[in-house]
Amino acid sequence: MVRHPLAPEQIEAGRRLGAALRRARAGRNPGEVALAAGISPETLRKIETGRLPTPAFGTVVRLSEVLGVPLSELADVWRTDPAAALSEAS
């Protein structure tokens, strides 16, 4: 299987998702959150820093549940184009 490089938009969406998860974690121990979600602390770190911009769907679902963030809210973060949001605000 050949993996194609991610588009810049996908990388940016992953950064937004990671930042949203980091905000939702808000001081909770990352190791505890990761273990509760069934992932390694290193995987959580990679997601939160944008180094893993396209985590598996199941991982996002479990993090959503552990952090108490509706999955639809995380989907909105992923879809939001900051440039489009700025032009709508004008």
Side-chain angles (χ1 to χ4, degrees), residues 1-11 53-54:
M1 182 172 135
V2 175
R3 278 192 79 140
H4 298 285
L6 296 175
E9 299 81 23
Q10 292 172 303
I11 293 169
T54 57

Side-chain angles (χ1 to χ4, degrees), residues 12-35:
E12 182 55 35
R15 287 185 183 129
R16 288 192 309 271
L17 176 64
L21 291 169
R22 190 171 46 253
R23 283 190 305 273
R25 186 171 54 77
R28 289 174 61 185
N29 181 296
E32 291 174 7
V33 169
L35 292 176

